[in-house]
Amino acid sequence: MEAVTVDLGEASTMELVNAASAIAAELARRKAPESAIVCRELAETLSATTDLHEAALSDLIGVVDRTREVQRWGYPSTRSWLRSRLGMRESRAKERLTLACHRNRVPQTTARWTAGELSYDYVATIAAAVTRLGDTECQVAEEALLSLADQGFSAGKVATFGRRIREVIAERDGTEQPDADSRRGYERSWIDSTRSLDGDRYIKGWLNAEDAAIWDGTLGPLAKPTGTDDPRDLSERTAAALTSVLSGGHRTTKVTVICDLDTLTGGEVPARLTDGTPIPAAQARRIALTAGVSPLLLGTGNHPLYLGHRARFATAPQRQVLETLYSTCAVHGCEVPGTLCEVDHVHGWALGSPTDIDQLALCCGWHNRYKHTNPSRIHITTDTNGRHTYRVLAPPGTAATVRPPPWLQAA
């Protein structure tokens, strides 16, 4: 058993983190006590301690984000680093980054958090609620949401109020306006549109159940994130989807289904989308009946045949082949979908790399630029299926001091 001795007043931040890490590792190996009463008390204490660890982590993430340190390591954004290096889900990475960026705008909340008086979820909820507010509104919103927390409302309930924080402030101050819209009834759909002096437009309205279903069916697929680093929230993506529909741009939407000829002629081998999602054979045949079908010929062992010539840009058929090979960016750990990536010459077209299918890969725009400005930092490997994988090497002089996370040590 490793002994941990640390002077809390004199220890550096690194020493404290190392001590906390050692204690957490030992605690994780321990079996829980037999007594449920003791376990309940320990769980409450440990949960509060975890919230304090989150406060420290948030401060560290904030510094990393402000200095853009992660880009030296080949990550296009702090959220990408949080997902790849710290193993977070996209929603968790976004939440932690939002909190790190806005904790200084809610000083009362942060002070109570670091003092152990407020849990992480309350703090994250309040930080998310003020992201779109100006400094004056931010202060009022913080006070209103803290008041709700002090009244015993759950973090989930505070989050509900946070999503309509401007209305909450108006209700608290007595400045809300009568809701004439609610008197229209709920059977009829309606939309009001007000144009501002600078040419923008404010829209609000109500859709009945039938119209709401049409809304969801049309805009829902178009409002999905364009990639893992799409900075827009759902409201912004929905506005872009609506604009696309109004302009007719959605009619160019393309869905690629990849399947064997045997599947189209009655076989049961599932088809798949370019992101790897399986499609039942029967459904693939139904899609083929009402869609344009373009053949993609694969050689022995599913190796793609050469489809292009020694030209600067890849052809459309070559890109189609590449999208079957790359569900995501070729950079290890990058989750940008292949359909949103650029075609990259693996060894650089200017350096003599031909525009042949086995010399091309799909790479997101950020990593494509990074690769060509930092060629010595990219290690390229090729598997038996002809798929190239790019791995970003550590900055010079840092490889020996940085350990990979446990789940990547064997990668």
Side-chain angles (χ1 to χ4, degrees):
M1 181 182 298
E2 180 181 356
V4 177
T5 303
V6 61
D7 186 331
L8 297 180
E10 298 295 330
S12 66
T13 301
M14 181 172 292
E15 289 172 332
L16 290 176
V17 169
N18 289 337
S21 177
I23 292 172
E26 179 60 31
L27 186 59
R29 289 191 289 266
R30 296 284 184 93
K31 292 192 63 175
E34 296 292 336
S35 170
I37 296 176
V38 172
C39 286
R40 178 185 60 79
E41 294 174 349
L42 291 178
E44 292 175 357
T45 301
L46 186 58
S47 178
T49 302
T50 302
D51 288 333
L52 292 174
H53 284 171
E54 288 283 0
L57 177 61
S58 174
D59 204 17
L60 299 176
I61 292 173
V63 173
V64 172
D65 183 63
R66 288 192 298 273
T67 59
R68 305 184 71 82
E69 165 67 13
V70 296
Q71 293 197 357
R72 287 204 313 124
W73 293 80
Y75 297 101
S77 67
T78 304
R79 275 165 61 183
S80 177
W81 167 68
L82 291 172
R83 291 194 313 271
S84 300
R85 187 74 184 177
L86 277 66
M88 297 184 193
R89 300 188 310 274
E90 170 64 17
S91 58
R92 185 68 170 210
K94 181 179 179 180
E95 181 180 77
R96 275 177 162 155
L97 181 57
T98 298
L99 181 52
C101 293
H102 292 276
R103 56 179 285 161
N104 292 334
R105 302 185 67 216
V106 286
Q108 296 181 59
T109 303
T110 301
R112 292 178 58 174
W113 185 23
T114 55
E117 300 171 1
L118 206 62
S119 75
Y120 168 87
D121 289 293
Y122 280 110
V123 180
T125 294
I126 294 173
V130 304
T131 55
R132 291 174 174 268
L133 303 181
D135 290 340
T136 301
E137 287 183 311
C138 177
Q139 181 179 353
V140 177
E142 180 188 17
E143 293 173 355
L145 295 176
L146 279 177
S147 174
L148 293 172
D150 291 338
Q151 293 175 46
F153 286 96
S154 67
K157 193 65 175 177
V158 173
T160 301
F161 287 120
R163 286 190 286 270
R164 48 182 290 269
I165 186 60
R166 285 191 172 92
E167 298 173 25
V168 171
I169 294 173
E171 291 169 3
R172 190 196 69 167
D173 297 343
T175 59
E176 73 274 19
Q177 298 296 319
D179 184 11
D181 299 329
S182 63
R183 294 196 291 271
R184 295 175 186 263
Y186 297 98
E187 297 303 319
R188 294 180 298 165
S189 297
W190 57 269
I191 292 178
D192 282 342
S193 173
T194 305
R195 192 174 182 86
S196 66
L197 294 176
D198 57 3
D200 296 335
R201 189 172 292 276
Y202 177 78
I203 299 173
K204 65 176 180 178
W206 173 268
L207 297 178
N208 61 31
E210 181 179 352
D211 292 341
I214 296 173
W215 172 284
D216 293 338
T218 304
L219 298 186
L222 300 176
K224 293 180 179 180
T226 58
T228 54
D229 292 305
D230 190 338
R232 303 172 302 168
D233 60 21
L234 178 59
S235 298
E236 293 169 325
R237 298 197 305 271
T238 300
L242 179 60
T243 302
S244 176
V245 170
L246 294 176
S247 65
H250 67 296
R251 294 171 185 167
T252 62
T253 302
K254 178 189 70 174
V255 177
T256 300
V257 178
I258 303 164
C259 63
D260 296 336
L261 180 60
D262 179 64
T263 299
L264 287 181
T265 56
E268 295 302 321
V269 178
R272 63 183 175 89
L273 302 179
T274 52
D275 64 357
T277 303
I279 298 292
Q283 183 178 352
R285 287 191 287 273
R286 285 197 300 271
I287 293 174
L289 288 175
T290 58
V293 178
S294 58
L296 170 62
L297 300 179
L298 300 177
T300 304
N302 286 333
H303 288 283
L305 302 176
Y306 294 96
L307 301 178
H309 300 283
R310 200 179 179 89
R312 175 66 180 88
F313 299 105
T315 64
Q318 283 178 316
R319 181 174 184 98
Q320 188 179 8
V321 171
L322 291 171
E323 289 181 0
T324 69
L325 284 174
Y326 297 87
S327 58
T328 60
C329 171
V331 174
H332 177 70
C334 182
E335 300 174 0
V336 175
T339 53
L340 301 176
C341 290
E342 301 172 356
V343 177
D344 175 56
H345 289 75
V346 176
H347 300 292
W349 183 79
L351 300 177
S353 179
T355 310
D356 289 339
I357 196 65
D358 58 354
Q359 297 297 317
L360 301 174
L362 292 184
C363 196
C364 70
W366 194 93
H367 275 124
N368 198 358
R369 294 187 295 273
Y370 184 90
K371 171 177 176 283
H372 290 286
T373 54
N374 300 272
S376 62
R377 297 278 307 284
I378 300 294
H379 177 67
I380 303 173
T381 58
T382 307
D383 64 19
T384 56
N385 292 323
R387 188 186 192 280
H388 303 284
T389 299
Y390 302 163
R391 293 178 184 267
V392 179
L393 304 178
T398 59
T401 61
V402 178
R403 293 174 297 177
W407 56 89
L408 290 181
Q409 289 182 2

